[in-house]
RNA sequence: GGAGAUGUGGCAGAGUGGUCUAUUGCGUCUGAUUCGAAAUCAGAAGUCCGUGAAAGCGGUCCGGGGGUUCGACUCCCUCCAUCUCCGCCA
């Protein structure tokens, strides 16, 4: 949510930011509701003030045993008027709030202009593509099949498409990645590990910005009115909802593993094959709560944390700075990390590192007191990392000449010392 | 799932329809005393909204929402959380 003051003091700033995003919002309607609301608020406060003095007077009369009937009658009509004005006010306020929850964050000044993902800026490339001379690597689905690492058919049988089963060494490899990610963040990056619920209430989904706008993308349990989390960002960020954080404890950094559930309602036809778009997948998420003055340093730090993992895995990747038109709903600035899949010959997004500034903190009401001044903290998060596409890159990047898979050194301790997954003998 | 109890400021804990402008204690901050500190004494302090150039002024907040009433921390309904006992269970 944006600072409500902006709607009356700096509408042009909002207009400009939304324009950069290519977002359509009826700003004029919101400004008008806000003006109307304040007008009624002034009248309402005045009426309440009158009532307060009147009831005080009644109390005084009653205490001294005098008749207060005339004052009671007068206050009764005052009460009716207050009720009527209050209803108007509540209606305007809820209308304003409903609209405000649908307004995306404004892009940070450093975010480049652009309409779509085609306009994102490559700011870094690490490692390199396999030499053209070497044999073209096999497709990850073929590698997985030969080594029996996963089973899409049976996943589809028991649940549906987009719910794969990792099997045998594939399951272990995926678990190895998650353990490596978590352990590494905790040991080297100063994160505290948390293991959150995978199901959250509606208020939490609003807090981080998934709702009310993206309802159709979320799995919902009707009987309990709870949502399956699309990312650990939701429970972990909302952990501190309605809290005033001690400024001395900032920044607070969490790393959380969770399964992630996404309906991907609007994505049919895009990347539906294999691992590229799943309804359930595993991810380690990094979440930070930062002093507002230091959130952009924290943003760079988070990005570096995610990058380090890819480097340790020996994967060729690049960093994109998203343009204004491609920013996620709540992000003020965002880096995407894309890993290269040599058989697919394309870049795959494996991490998205965002600074939300106070956008989520306003929704979830997370504050801190700095120099005696109450203010909203800044929230940030980044994948570190999601496993499916990393596995794809791993399968396509680390193939051995014999058709097996070389295990990156950092994962070997988690694989019982195994250095290579060898093909079955025929 | 069943029965009962509780939810009040940073914390503890009073308050059962009208000077509640929420008692008190602890903690916090400021000042006095002190070379400094402790102890002691005095004082101050919250959130959010509106209004105003500002000082200030008005409103709001006792788990959330709703109701009764001229007036609700107090009465009623409902939801949530916590605790105790019972049941079930990885």
């Amino acid at each position: 949510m944006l600072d409500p003051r902006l709607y009356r003091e700096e509408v042009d700033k909002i207009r400009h930011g939304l324009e950069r995003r290519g977002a359509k919002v009826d700003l004029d309607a919101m400004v008008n509701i806000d003006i109307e609301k304040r007008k009624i608020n002034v009248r309402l406060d005045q009426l309440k003030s009158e009532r307060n003095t009147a009831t005080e007077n009644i109390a005084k009369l009653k205490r001294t045993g005098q008749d207060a009937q005339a004052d009671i009658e007068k206050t009764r009509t005052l009460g009716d008027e207050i009720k009527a004005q209050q209803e108007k006010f509540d209606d305007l306020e809820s209308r304003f709030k409903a609209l405000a929850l649908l307004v995306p964050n404004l892009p940070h000044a450093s975010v480049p202009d652009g309409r779509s993902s085609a306009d994102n800026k490559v700011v870094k490339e690490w490692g390199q593509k396999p030499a053209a001379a070497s044999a073209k690597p096999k497709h990850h689905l073929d590698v997985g099949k030969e080594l029996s690492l996963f089973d899409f058919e049976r996943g589809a049988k028991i649940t549906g498409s987009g719910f794969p089963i990792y099997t045998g060494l594939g399951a272990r490899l995926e678990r190895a990645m998650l353990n490596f990610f978590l352990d590494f963040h905790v040991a080297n990056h100063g994160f505290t590990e948390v293991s959150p619920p995978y199901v959250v209430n509606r208020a939490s989904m609003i807090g981080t910005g998934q709702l009310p706008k993206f309802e159709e993308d979320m799995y919902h349990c009707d009987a309990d009115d709870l949502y399956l989390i699309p990312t650990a960002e939701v429970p972990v960020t909302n952990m501190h909802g309605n809290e005033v954080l001690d400024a001395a404890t900032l920044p607070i950094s969490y790393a959380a593993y969770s399964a992630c559930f996404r309906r991907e309602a609007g994505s049919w036809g895009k990347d539906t094959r294999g691992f590229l778009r799943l309804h359930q997948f595993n991810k380690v998420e990094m979440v930070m709560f930062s002093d507002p003055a230091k959130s952009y340093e924290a943003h760079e730090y988070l990005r570096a944390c995610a990058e380090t993992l890819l480097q340790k895995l020996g994967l060729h990747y690049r960093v994109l700075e998203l343009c204004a038109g491609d920013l996620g709903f709540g992000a003020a600035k965002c880096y995407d990390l894309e890993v290269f899949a040599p058989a697919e010959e394309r870049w795959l997004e494996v991490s998205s590192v965002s600074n939300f500034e106070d956008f989520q903190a306003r929704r979830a009401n997370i504050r801190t007191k700095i120099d005696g001044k109450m203010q909203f903290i800044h929230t940030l998060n980044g994948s570190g990392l999601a496993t499916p596409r990393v596995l794809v890159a791993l399968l396509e990047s680390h193939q051995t000449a014999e058709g097996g898979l070389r295990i990156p050194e950092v994962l070997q301790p988690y694989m019982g010392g195994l250095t290579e997954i060898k093909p079955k003998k025929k």
Side-chain angles (χ1 to χ4, degrees):
Chain A
M1 213 153 54
L2 305 179
D3 184 347
R5 283 176 198 287
L6 293 180
Y7 290 98
R8 66 187 79 137
E9 287 166 16
E10 294 181 79
V11 189
D12 288 341
K13 191 172 161 183
I14 301 182
R15 211 182 295 279
H16 175 69
L18 295 179
E19 219 161 81
R20 288 230 293 148
R21 267 184 175 272
K24 283 189 206 95
V25 170
D26 191 349
L27 262 187
D28 295 331
M30 294 185 67
V31 169
N32 287 332
I33 291 171
D34 183 56
I35 291 170
E36 181 76 6
K37 189 184 82 169
R38 271 149 58 217
K39 224 190 297 177
I40 289 175
N41 190 29
V42 171
R43 172 103 181 94
L44 192 55
D45 281 357
Q46 202 176 3
L47 288 167
K48 282 180 178 172
S49 177
E50 278 176 40
R51 180 176 65 183
N52 286 345
T53 41
T55 56
E56 224 168 277
N57 193 41
I58 291 169
K60 224 176 278 174
L61 291 173
K62 288 231 168 183
R63 235 180 287 120
T64 54
Q66 290 173 270
D67 177 49
Q69 204 48 46
D71 296 79
I72 288 175
E73 287 304 327
K74 208 174 72 189
T75 315
R76 201 186 308 244
T77 49
L78 204 54
D80 291 341
E81 174 74 6
I82 288 173
K83 196 168 181 180
Q85 294 295 326
Q86 186 72 54
E87 262 167 39
K88 267 196 224 170
F89 179 84
D90 290 347
D91 176 58
L92 289 165
E93 180 157 77
S94 66
R95 270 166 60 197
F96 185 84
K97 181 142 195 230
L99 291 171
L101 285 173
L102 294 169
V103 178
N105 204 356
L106 305 178
H108 187 254
S110 67
V111 171
D113 282 323
R115 287 272 143 230
S116 72
S117 56
D119 303 315
N120 294 337
K121 216 165 90 188
V122 178
V123 293
K124 177 175 176 177
E125 198 166 324
W126 188 91
Q128 48 196 299
K129 296 185 176 67
S134 70
K136 185 169 162 66
K138 285 187 279 191
H139 192 274
H140 63 275
L141 291 178
D142 298 329
V143 179
K145 195 160 197 177
E146 280 160 32
L147 301 179
S148 303
L149 301 180
F150 39 78
D151 187 338
F152 279 88
E153 292 74 15
R154 291 197 173 94
K157 179 165 68 180
I158 57 176
T159 305
S161 91
F163 293 91
I165 303 170
Y166 295 99
T167 56
L169 287 173
R172 185 158 192 191
L173 180 62
E174 203 244 355
R175 182 160 54 90
M177 284 197 277
L178 293 166
N179 282 329
F180 162 62
F181 296 162
L182 264 180
D183 286 347
F184 198 84
H185 286 317
V186 170
N188 303 294
H189 294 153
F191 289 86
T192 301
E193 179 173 353
V194 290
S195 179
Y198 295 179
V199 178
V200 296
N201 58 32
R202 191 174 169 83
S204 296
M205 294 291 270
I206 290 172
T208 27
Q210 281 72 24
L211 293 183
K213 186 143 190 196
F214 305 103
E215 191 97 47
E216 71 282 3
D217 287 324
M218 306 301 154
Y219 285 103
H220 180 249
C221 310
D222 288 325
D224 301 289
D225 193 21
L226 295 172
Y227 293 83
L228 269 59
I229 59 171
T231 156
E233 160 196 347
V234 179
V236 176
T237 306
N238 282 287
M239 265 171 68
H240 291 300
N242 293 315
E243 288 183 22
V244 178
L245 303 176
D246 181 353
T249 64
L250 300 178
I252 298 173
S253 314
Y254 294 119
Y257 155 74
S258 86
C260 302
F261 304 91
R262 300 183 179 184
R263 292 189 66 226
E264 301 290 358
S267 316
W268 293 118
K270 281 185 238 164
D271 296 329
T272 47
R273 184 171 177 242
F275 279 113
L276 299 185
R277 196 167 295 277
L278 301 176
H279 291 306
Q280 179 184 325
F281 62 93
N282 293 312
K283 175 163 64 67
V284 170
E285 181 77 1
M286 307 175 287
V287 176
M288 281 182 87
F289 301 82
S290 162
D291 176 337
K294 294 175 185 157
S295 70
Y296 279 91
E297 289 165 42
H299 191 214
E300 296 300 317
Y301 180 71
L302 270 190
R303 175 189 134 185
C305 290
E307 281 190 52
T308 304
L309 298 180
L310 292 174
Q311 292 172 9
K312 295 278 173 193
L313 292 173
L315 296 174
H316 176 40
Y317 71 89
R318 66 179 186 179
V319 180
L320 299 181
E321 185 173 5
L322 296 201
C323 71
D326 201 31
L327 280 178
F329 181 69
K333 184 178 172 105
C334 180
Y335 292 115
D336 272 4
L337 269 52
E338 294 188 333
V339 74
F340 190 70
E344 292 257 3
E345 289 190 89
R346 56 185 283 201
W347 296 95
L348 305 176
E349 181 193 330
V350 290
S351 177
S352 207
V353 183
S354 306
N355 186 353
F356 295 83
E357 296 188 357
D358 64 7
F359 186 83
Q360 294 180 325
R362 283 180 185 282
R363 293 173 160 244
N365 189 28
I366 309 172
R367 296 174 297 168
T368 189
K369 211 170 206 170
I370 294 174
D371 297 328
K373 216 184 129 206
M374 196 64 91
Q375 50 189 301
F376 290 101
I377 53 105
H378 282 191
T379 61
L380 305 96
N381 64 59
S383 341
L385 304 157
T387 58
R389 294 177 191 163
V390 176
L391 183 68
V392 166
L394 223 50
L395 292 179
E396 296 190 2
S397 302
H398 293 338
Q399 295 171 15
T400 62
E402 300 76 41
L405 182 75
R406 194 169 51 73
I407 311 281
E409 212 174 299
V410 289
L411 297 183
Q412 290 171 13
Y414 297 99
M415 297 291 288
L418 195 69
T419 57
E420 187 183 333
I421 299 176
K422 295 197 166 114
K424 283 171 276 186
K425 293 202 178 81
K426 291 187 180 149

